[in-house]
Amino acid sequence: MDIKSKSSEKSKNRLNGFMRLFWLVIACAAVCYAFFTAYITYERGFYPETLIEADYTKSSDYEHRTVSAYSRSIDRLADFIRDFNSYCYLSAEGSDSGSLTHSEDGILIHSDSESGDIWFLGAVGDDGIYRRTYTKKISEDVTDYYFYSSVTSYDGTLTFVYCNAPKSVFENGSSIVRNNDTFSDSVTGNIASNYYLAGEPTTLVYDCLPDSVSYTMSKFGADSDCYFAAAPKTQFVENAQAAWTAERQRLIPIIVTIGCCILAALMSLICFCVVSLKKLPDENGEMSVRLSFFSRIPLEITLALSVILSVQLTVLTYDMRWTSWVNGTEAITRLSVNIHRAAMVGWVFVTFAFCFSLIVQILSLIETKGFVANSFICRFTAWVIRTVKGFAAKIKEANSTRKKRGKLTPIEFVKGIGQAFREKIFRKRIPIEKKMLKMTLIWLGAEVVCGLICLLCLLDSAEEIAVVFFIICFAFFGMYMAFLYSTYRDIGKLAARIEAVSKGEKPDGNEIYPDSPLYHIYLDLENIDEGMKKSIEEQVKSERMKIELVTNVSHDLKTPLTSIISYVDLLSKTELSDEAADYVKVISAKAERLKNIVSDLFDIAKANSGNSNVELENLDLCKLIVQTLADMDDRVNASGMTIKTKLPSAPVIIRSDGKKLYRVFQNLIDNALKYSLKGTRIFIEAEISDGLVKTSVKNTSAYELDFTADEIKERFTRGDKSRSTEGSGLGLSIAESFTAVCGGSFNVVIDGDQFRTEVVFPTVI
Amino acid sequence: MDNTNAAILVADDDREITAGIARLLELEGYRVIKAYDGLQALEALTENKIQLIIMDVMMPKMDGLSATMRIRQEQNIPIMILSAKTEDTDKVLGLSMGADDYISKPYSPAELVARVRSQLRRYLRLGDVNSSQAVKDAVTVGGLTLNIGEKQLYLDGEPVRLTATEFKIMRLLMENAGRVYPAEEIYEKVWNEEAFAVENTVMVHIRRIREKIEINPKEPKYLKVVWGIGYKIEKL
């Protein structure tokens, strides 16, 4: 169930991620499309591909040149004119001199210095638009004393410019014009005086214009005799209207498309925001806004990238337009233009993707209150504050302990800062040599810097400052030495602690503080000490548990045995048939034997668990043997064996537990009595040599001793493999255990049928 | 004996053992009241007039030792502890808590009965003796009383027949109860002869005395061997 819901959560999260990407791509694509459409329209609509048209016709009496330029901007036009200057210059058939004059009134005259020809090129209107211009060569061949030019404008006016003058005037004037004076000064002045000779300009206008056209005339300049005749050109208006309508027809769908695209982009952006800000269950099942990979990038970086991209987009747009306009005249291939456009679109896509993601990032950061965690500056500030605070706290702590020790003098305060500084440096668990290197480099660096400043000051003959820095440098050296000294002192302390631990003592004093580079080693040592204590405690605990186990098992064995014995006894007291009475006797005997075995088993288990109460005292071994024999006198007599003793006459004092040692010898003698060949003798001897007393019990076995000494000492091993004789089989084992517990050593020697047990104890002098 | 109809309280959480002991004692003619934990034992004690208590140590609700301590605060009845704990320390603890005897499980039925009889004898009979004037020239160790004038040893009020030598040994050891005498010293003091290889001689006598005064000669209560040193009468 849990896994199922988890997997569904996972798929939900994945779906959400996919939706985010989807909406982002849609929004950016819409923006791209809008941008591209607008861009293409702009480029096509306002900057026709053919920008300059030049026509040149030459007849016998005059030359006709047509130059048309379309531009919205006076700057562009100026550029064009500059270009046109050289064009005219080149096209003036062999002439290599001349100039293009741009009058204040915007009339453009070209005068050829060689031929003396003057070319009226056109005029720039008040709106700064240079229009289709007809020019006529003013030359001797032209008998009419005038020239005219018509200027058509997109605003629907047709302007004729007339200059009427007699031929002579022009002839005179030509020389004036040749002086490269401005048009208004030279030409107008001269023309004006002869204007009326040619008759009314009105007549001329009538000559040229159809009757239906009404016109207005005005002087070209304030003082000039040059006239404008302006008339609406029906044809032109119609054309303009048609062009405007066509343009409108073309632009409406484009504008609609752009509008739709922008709307779609906005809606997609909203969807993107909504999807991104949707709360989703996380691993813990809590609903929260998920920060995408982008949103986790520090805000400063995303913001900077977005700004850079946007700025670059603007620059690029301008550049592309300019490039395509200029290069268009020089016939740049369409392919390269398309590549440019594709790059442009890509750039737009990336830029807007960034901007949109930025919006979502800001929104989701507001939602999750994650500004501090995200922002690099915030984080950095927080880190700085934390570090400074931590350092301040450390200084405070160090100084407060110093204060406790005594008065807080300024020197102590500085020491406290030093301590905090060292604690900060040695905080991390890194190899000791690296810590030392770090510290050394810091001090050496400080010294080198001070030394260099000192040297510079000396070179600059600022001795006072040099002395100050020399002293500082020396102080740094002193501090470094102090640090080295304290480190060596800590090594000494550590060695003392290690020595104490290795001796198993409690390491007292010699604490090492966190400002020492050896602090972590000290901590490790402490841990070893702790670990050792712990393991000893565990051992003691397990020992105790073992003993408890023995006690419990013994109790559990004894309780049913108690019942058996008491009921067998009760049974024996009832009236039974002879047969039954025999059986009861057998049960009784076996129960008694079982009781002895359990008791022996308990004794040996206790002796081996190392927890038997041993009461050591000085006693006479010889006397103990004699007592034991006396105690067992009846059994010895009953067995029919003879026991020969050979004991030292003087008391042999050993340190042992009398009761346990009695059990040892009782067992050994018992053993000998049980397994000896009938009629043989048992020898008990004690010898003293080298501070040891060796007591041996020897007998001749009734059975073949077909086992090794080690085997017989094993628990439950008995001389007769058939185990038909009485005994628990624990006799020798108990003897061995008890001897060991009392501080002696036990040994079994088998030599043919000779069975010898040896108990060795150190004597007390 | 008039103690045959004495009431005995047997407390053991093992019902079979309780029943077994009860049957055993009933065969001897005692009246038995059973309890299966410490609290029941205390309860039974208030409800009945009881002359002796046999108490197990490891019992639920209240263990035998605690119960013993409680009883001892008010009453003087003999308490015998019957336990599977056979350590010396356990015995010492039990006896110091106020118990009069300590029998380890698995016990020998005969021994148990003998001990019960011994305790009852002392409690019912000697209680009067103890309260009356002490006999002159008498040495008392636990249930043993040695009347020097009469040259007679009493065990829980019953006379014990001893030979002259045995009496001399008992007198020597009882008058100096707790002191350990090596065999040589006993021999020299009793026989008035120089001792040489006398261990056996002394030991034989000791064993005979034991058979007369001890319920279980293998685990003597009074006359003990100090191994490797000598013999003594335990100071009780």
Side-chain angles (χ1 to χ4, degrees):
Chain A
M1 184 69 193
D2 195 26
I3 292 164
K4 216 176 181 182
S5 71
K6 239 178 199 173
S7 74
S8 82
E9 266 169 34
K10 230 178 194 176
S11 69
K12 240 184 216 174
N13 286 340
R14 211 172 285 161
L15 181 71
N16 183 264
F18 173 74
M19 287 307 284
R20 283 186 199 190
L21 198 65
F22 174 76
W23 286 119
L24 180 65
V25 169
I26 294 286
C28 290
V31 167
C32 275
Y33 191 72
F35 182 86
F36 188 66
T37 313
Y39 179 70
I40 296 291
T41 312
Y42 182 59
E43 203 182 62
R44 284 224 183 108
F46 301 101
Y47 297 97
E49 277 162 30
T50 311
L51 287 159
I52 300 167
E53 283 169 356
D55 182 33
Y56 177 72
T57 44
K58 195 179 180 178
S59 63
S60 56
D61 58 337
Y62 73 99
E63 288 172 15
H64 181 229
R65 296 181 187 202
T66 309
V67 177
S68 55
Y70 303 89
S71 173
R72 291 219 130 196
S73 157
I74 189 80
D75 295 334
R76 291 268 176 281
L77 203 61
D79 290 335
F80 164 68
I81 289 163
R82 206 162 37 242
D83 292 343
F84 193 72
N85 191 5
S86 57
Y87 170 78
C88 289
Y89 181 75
L90 287 171
S91 63
E93 289 180 345
S95 53
D96 55 350
S97 62
S99 67
L100 188 75
T101 314
H102 183 196
S103 81
E104 280 173 16
D105 297 320
I107 296 188
L108 218 56
I109 293 289
H110 174 248
S111 55
D112 197 319
S113 53
E114 286 285 297
S115 61
D117 293 346
I118 297 169
W119 296 86
F120 181 79
L121 296 172
V124 180
D126 287 339
D127 60 349
I129 303 168
Y130 194 82
R131 299 287 178 244
R132 191 181 290 266
T133 310
Y134 297 97
T135 55
K136 204 163 189 180
K137 188 185 173 186
I138 303 165
S139 70
E140 288 163 85
D141 305 335
V142 181
T143 47
D144 300 329
Y145 299 103
Y146 71 94
F147 76 86
Y148 80 91
S149 179
S150 69
V151 176
T152 50
S153 161
Y154 272 114
D155 59 5
T157 54
L158 176 68
T159 308
F160 295 92
V161 180
Y162 292 91
C163 285
N164 293 342
K167 189 184 170 183
S168 57
V169 172
F170 277 98
E171 280 173 336
N172 295 333
S174 65
S175 62
I176 300 163
V177 172
R178 244 181 242 139
N179 291 339
N180 291 339
D181 288 335
T182 58
F183 177 76
S184 56
D185 280 343
S186 55
V187 178
T188 314
N190 289 306
I191 289 170
S193 56
N194 300 294
Y195 181 78
Y196 293 103
L197 295 174
E200 287 298 313
T202 321
T203 333
L204 286 164
V205 172
Y206 281 135
D207 290 345
C208 295
L209 290 171
D211 291 341
S212 59
V213 173
S214 62
Y215 60 92
T216 54
M217 286 193 68
S218 59
K219 274 191 171 178
F220 193 68
D223 302 323
S224 112
D225 290 325
C226 204
Y227 282 84
F228 283 105
K233 189 182 170 192
T234 319
Q235 188 68 40
F236 181 82
V237 170
E238 279 165 7
N239 285 346
Q241 182 67 44
W244 189 81
T245 312
E247 192 73 0
R248 191 164 161 272
Q249 290 300 322
R250 194 170 68 89
L251 283 177
I252 282 172
I254 288 169
I255 287 165
V256 168
T257 310
I258 291 171
C260 287
C261 283
I262 287 168
L263 203 65
L266 274 174
M267 283 173 68
S268 301
L269 179 61
I270 288 165
C271 287
F272 178 50
C273 290
V274 168
V275 168
S276 297
L277 292 177
K278 196 177 172 192
K279 283 186 178 178
L280 287 171
D282 58 7
E283 294 90 12
N284 306 325
E286 277 172 39
M287 303 296 277
S288 63
V289 172
R290 283 302 186 79
L291 289 179
S292 63
F293 170 73
F294 185 90
S295 299
R296 291 207 195 103
I297 299 169
L299 195 63
E300 290 82 3
I301 293 173
T302 52
L303 204 64
L305 276 173
S306 299
V307 168
I308 289 167
L309 282 168
S310 306
V311 168
Q312 189 58 31
L313 179 68
T314 321
V315 170
L316 210 63
T317 314
Y318 186 80
D319 262 10
M320 288 282 284
R321 191 193 52 166
W322 177 240
T323 313
S324 72
W325 185 79
V326 170
N327 289 348
T329 61
E330 286 165 15
I332 273 252
T333 59
R334 195 160 275 281
L335 177 70
S336 65
V337 171
N338 282 343
I339 288 169
H340 276 277
R341 282 175 187 162
M344 191 82 175
V345 168
W347 198 271
V348 168
F349 190 95
V350 171
T351 307
F352 275 88
F354 252 87
C355 291
F356 290 167
S357 297
L358 185 66
I359 290 167
V360 164
Q361 182 184 19
I362 290 168
L363 287 177
S364 50
L365 286 181
I366 289 169
E367 184 67 31
T368 56
K369 299 187 179 77
F371 267 114
V372 176
N374 175 276
S375 161
F376 186 69
I377 289 169
C378 285
R379 259 192 288 177
F380 180 72
T381 315
W383 178 79
V384 166
I385 288 170
R386 210 167 48 235
T387 310
V388 168
K389 258 191 183 169
F391 200 59
K394 272 221 154 69
I395 290 174
K396 206 175 167 190
E397 190 192 311
N399 279 329
S400 76
T401 54
R402 272 162 202 282
K403 211 172 188 175
K404 270 181 208 154
R405 268 187 250 157
K407 214 177 156 198
L408 186 66
T409 57
I411 292 171
E412 286 289 306
F413 183 76
V414 172
K415 275 187 183 172
I417 293 174
Q419 186 186 332
F421 169 69
R422 286 194 300 275
E423 276 180 28
K424 188 92 189 150
I425 288 181
F426 300 137
R427 179 178 90 248
K428 275 187 192 147
R429 187 178 273 276
I430 51 171
I432 173 86
E433 71 274 11
K434 282 193 181 158
K435 282 182 182 171
M436 294 305 284
L437 188 68
K438 216 169 165 182
M439 205 63 184
T440 307
L441 284 179
I442 289 170
W443 285 120
L444 273 185
E447 273 171 46
V448 166
V449 168
C450 284
L452 281 178
I453 294 172
C454 178
L455 210 66
L456 283 174
C457 289
L458 272 182
L459 288 176
D460 220 26
S461 62
E463 279 87 3
E464 295 88 353
I465 302 170
V467 165
V468 168
F469 274 97
F470 180 74
I471 289 167
I472 292 173
C473 185
F474 203 74
F476 278 153
F477 179 71
M479 279 151 108
Y480 179 56
M481 290 313 282
F483 163 70
L484 279 186
Y485 169 73
S486 75
T487 307
Y488 285 127
R489 191 193 55 207
D490 286 346
I491 291 173
K493 281 182 180 179
L494 204 61
R497 282 187 87 88
I498 292 170
E499 196 185 339
V501 170
S502 75
K503 279 182 185 162
E505 290 165 7
K506 198 168 176 272
D508 261 338
N510 292 330
E511 274 101 356
I512 292 173
Y513 299 98
D515 65 330
S516 166
L518 297 159
Y519 183 61
H520 286 113
I521 301 175
Y522 163 75
L523 284 186
D524 291 346
L525 185 66
E526 290 287 283
N527 284 345
I528 290 174
D529 203 27
E530 287 291 308
M532 250 157 61
K533 273 181 201 151
K534 223 178 203 171
S535 92
I536 287 169
E537 256 169 43
E538 298 254 311
Q539 229 172 318
V540 167
K541 209 170 148 192
S542 90
E543 218 31 70
R544 204 176 299 136
M545 277 181 57
K546 210 154 75 183
I547 292 153
E548 261 170 36
L549 183 78
V550 169
T551 314
N552 289 341
V553 167
S554 140
H555 177 258
D556 291 352
L557 286 173
K558 279 174 184 173
T559 306
L561 199 58
T562 307
S563 286
I564 294 171
I565 289 171
S566 32
Y567 282 95
V568 167
D569 186 70
L570 286 173
L571 200 60
S572 69
K573 281 176 186 161
T574 53
E575 282 190 14
L576 298 166
S577 64
D578 285 352
E579 212 177 351
D582 279 348
Y583 297 163
V584 169
K585 262 183 205 159
V586 172
I587 296 174
S588 177
K590 296 300 163 187
E592 194 61 31
R593 202 178 142 198
L594 188 61
K595 178 183 148 183
N596 289 336
I597 293 174
V598 168
S599 173
D600 281 357
L601 194 62
F602 182 54
D603 283 341
I604 197 167
K606 266 194 61 187
N608 285 342
S609 74
N611 192 44
S612 51
N613 300 321
V614 183
E615 289 163 21
L616 293 177
E617 55 188 340
N618 288 344
L619 51 87
D620 181 358
L621 180 71
C622 295
K623 187 167 269 175
L624 187 131
I625 292 167
V626 170
Q627 277 178 326
T628 310
L629 283 172
D631 189 59
M632 298 175 73
D633 196 36
D634 49 348
R635 259 190 279 176
V636 175
N637 290 336
S639 71
M641 300 287 170
T642 318
I643 295 184
K644 292 274 174 191
T645 56
K646 193 176 153 195
L647 303 169
S649 51
V652 179
I653 307 299
I654 59 165
R655 192 159 180 78
S656 182
D657 184 325
K659 277 182 197 165
K660 292 206 159 60
L661 206 54
Y662 157 69
R663 283 287 300 277
V664 171
F665 285 113
Q666 192 196 25
N667 277 326
L668 294 182
I669 294 165
D670 232 15
N671 219 46
L673 291 176
K674 244 185 264 173
Y675 297 112
S676 283
L677 191 66
K678 286 270 175 267
T680 55
R681 280 174 287 273
I682 297 164
F683 294 88
I684 301 176
E685 292 169 2
E687 292 169 11
I688 303 173
S689 64
D690 298 337
L692 293 173
V693 54
K694 185 165 87 180
T695 316
S696 56
V697 178
K698 276 189 281 188
N699 68 306
T700 311
S701 177
Y703 306 91
E704 193 191 339
L705 299 173
D706 55 351
F707 44 76
T708 67
D710 286 332
E711 274 168 9
I712 192 69
K713 279 197 285 184
E714 289 289 309
R715 278 164 231 173
F716 302 109
T717 310
R718 289 166 43 188
D720 59 325
K721 291 255 165 91
S722 62
R723 292 172 173 263
S724 55
T725 50
E726 288 284 320
S728 61
L730 287 169
L732 283 181
S733 192
I734 288 180
E736 189 187 13
S737 298
F738 276 20
T739 310
V741 165
C742 293
S745 65
F746 183 81
N747 196 22
V748 172
V749 180
I750 293 170
D751 183 12
D753 277 349
Q754 281 281 313
F755 185 81
R756 192 166 86 235
T757 50
E758 294 171 351
V759 176
V760 182
F761 271 93
T763 55
V764 176
I765 303 145
Chain B
M1 281 187 267
D2 59 353
N3 62 3
T4 43
N5 54 4
I8 299 173
L9 173 68
V10 180
D12 196 314
D13 59 325
D14 189 316
R15 280 164 193 267
E16 279 76 30
I17 291 179
T18 316
I21 294 170
R23 185 86 191 104
L24 187 72
L25 294 175
E26 275 161 10
L27 282 177
E28 295 294 319
Y30 297 106
R31 199 156 58 79
V32 177
I33 295 148
K34 295 172 212 164
Y36 301 108
D37 60 56
L39 287 178
Q40 272 186 19
L42 291 181
E43 224 168 87
L45 204 59
T46 55
E47 286 164 8
N48 301 280
K49 194 168 162 51
I50 284 161
Q51 277 79 37
L52 187 128
I53 303 167
I54 297 174
M55 182 94 73
D56 185 22
V57 173
M58 285 190 268
M59 282 194 296
K61 286 182 190 168
M62 185 189 276
D63 67 55
L65 292 180
S66 311
T68 305
M69 263 168 70
R70 287 280 194 87
I71 295 164
R72 265 292 165 271
Q73 282 170 3
E74 290 158 16
Q75 281 171 297
N76 202 21
I77 347 167
I79 302 174
M80 293 169 69
I81 286 181
L82 183 64
S83 173
K85 288 186 167 181
T86 51
E87 284 299 291
D88 287 352
T89 47
D90 296 324
K91 287 180 186 171
V92 169
L93 186 68
L95 292 173
S96 63
M97 284 287 178
D100 297 276
D101 207 347
Y102 195 104
I103 305 168
S104 49
K105 285 182 190 171
Y107 56 87
S108 139
E111 188 188 338
L112 179 73
V113 170
R115 281 180 193 266
V116 164
R117 205 176 284 147
S118 154
Q119 288 293 339
L120 277 174
R121 207 160 50 213
R122 278 191 67 201
Y123 177 62
L124 297 175
R125 267 217 205 135
L126 297 184
D128 307 333
V129 177
N130 286 347
S131 59
S132 70
Q133 220 180 357
V135 182
K136 262 196 173 178
D137 295 334
V139 187
T140 307
V141 176
L144 285 175
T145 306
L146 189 78
N147 194 318
I148 296 160
E150 288 176 23
K151 293 217 171 209
Q152 182 66 53
L153 178 72
Y154 294 93
L155 174 64
D156 299 331
E158 303 244 308
V160 180
R161 288 183 63 86
L162 293 178
T163 63
T165 315
E166 287 165 3
F167 184 78
K168 276 182 188 165
I169 294 171
M170 281 307 285
R171 186 178 170 180
L172 174 70
L173 294 179
M174 278 182 75
E175 279 178 342
N176 303 288
R179 198 193 136 176
V180 182
Y181 283 92
E184 289 82 6
E185 202 177 336
I186 294 173
Y187 191 84
E188 278 165 13
K189 291 228 164 114
V190 173
W191 275 270
N192 278 326
E193 281 172 36
E194 204 175 319
F196 183 74
V198 292
E199 200 74 46
N200 265 19
T201 320
V202 174
M203 191 68 198
V204 166
H205 282 90
I206 295 276
R207 238 181 21 238
R208 283 197 196 130
I209 299 169
R210 269 192 195 161
E211 275 157 19
K212 287 172 185 171
I213 65 167
E214 299 285 355
I215 292 166
N216 182 359
K218 298 248 181 220
E219 279 180 50
K221 183 180 174 186
Y222 300 108
L223 189 47
K224 289 187 173 173
V225 182
V226 182
W227 297 102
I229 298 170
Y231 306 88
K232 68 167 179 182
I233 286 274
E234 196 71 68
K235 199 172 190 171
L236 291 169

